[in-house]
């Protein structure tokens, strides 16, 4: 399986693995990698079928994406890493941490959800497949970006909006169809959130229409000690719409994590 990825920053620093949303690719993290790679090892990869990674022959599922992620870490010989996943990337990150807790030392969940799809959402996803077959990918890309960004971003973030549209149009129809099936059949993880003992940061755009702040609050209540921040001037792609706040929360989270064991020791 060919996996396309970028790996930059000091190899001995805290490592963060970024997992993109659907149907996007690793370039959605460019503003995080550029800002954070001087202090952290930053890795972003393309999920199977997205960007430049191979599609393979199997049907897609969140479980398959998690297996790919663990195989990828093994190939890079990384024992432990922090995961940062947005939306679909968050579904993958949640499943990975729940099923392989020893491989992760931090979890950043962005604009994501622990619930499974409702029957209405499943139906919408199946209609999307038919619509793309009948009307093509461009119409789908144009409609999708309207939901991905906050209304104000249509004035201020025109290049980011174009980039997101290009990422969608650069994804093959087969990968989109297989991923829609994987998303529609994914299992809920809300009932397992209390099992998560990994330090967790939750970020969400204030104007996220797809996974709004109320959804993030459910995850926040479920994970002991998790921190939640709601980002201004941001919709679903909060990392692209407000990279300044987004990146600062990541740096602060890592600094606090590094300080916490010291504070524990000094109290003893
Ligand atoms: C995403 O951004 O990854 C998608 O909105 C996820 C979804 O459709 O559930």
């Amino acid at each position: 399986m060919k996996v396309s990825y970028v790996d930059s920053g000091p190899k001995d620093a805290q490592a963060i693995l970024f997992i993109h949303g659907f149907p996007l690719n690793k370039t959605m993290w460019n503003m995080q990698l550029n800002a954070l790679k001087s202090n952290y090892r930053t890795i972003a990869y393309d999920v199977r079928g997205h960007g430049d990674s191979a599609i393979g022959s199997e049907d897609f599922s969140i479980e398959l994406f998690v297996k790919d992620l663990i195989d990828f870490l093994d190939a890079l010989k990384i024992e432990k890493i922090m995961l940062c996943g947005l939306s679909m990337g968050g579904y993958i990150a949640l499943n990975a941490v729940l099923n392989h807790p020893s491989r992760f030392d931090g979890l950043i969940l962005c604009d994501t959800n622990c619930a499974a799809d409702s029957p209405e959402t499943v139906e919408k996803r199946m209609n999307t497949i038919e619509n793309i077959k009948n009307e093509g990918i461009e119409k789908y890309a144009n409609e999708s970006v309207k939901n991905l960004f906050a209304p104000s971003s249509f004035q201020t973030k025109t290049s980011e909006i174009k980039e997101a549209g290009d990422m969608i149009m650069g994804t093959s129809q087969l990968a989109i169809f297989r991923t829609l099936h994987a998303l529609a059949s994914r299992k809920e993880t809300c009932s397992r959130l209390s099992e998560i003992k990994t330090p967790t940061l939750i970020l969400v755009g204030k104007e996220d229409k797809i996974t709004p702040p109320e959804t993030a609050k459910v995850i926040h209540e479920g994970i002991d000690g998790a921190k939640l921040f709601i980002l201004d001037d941001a919709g679903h792609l909060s990392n692209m719409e407000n990279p300044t706040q987004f990146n600062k929360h990541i740096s602060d989270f890592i600094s606090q994590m590094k300080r916490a064991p010291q504070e524990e020791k000094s109290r003893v």
Side-chain angles (χ1 to χ4, degrees), residues 77 90 97 133 204 209 252 255 261 266:
K77 299 193 175 13
V97 167
K133 281 182 187 162
V204 63
K209 292 193 282 271
D252 289 351
S255 308
S266 64

Side-chain angles (χ1 to χ4, degrees), residues 20-24 86-89 91 111 113 117 121 125 148 180 183 186 210-211 236-237:
H20 61 79
F22 166 77
L24 306 171
L86 186 138
S87 200
M88 174 182 76
Y91 311 154
D111 302 276
N113 197 346
D117 274 2
T121 306
R125 293 199 199 273
L148 291 174
L180 282 166
L183 296 175
R186 76 184 191 282
I210 300 174
T211 49
H236 191 57
L237 295 187

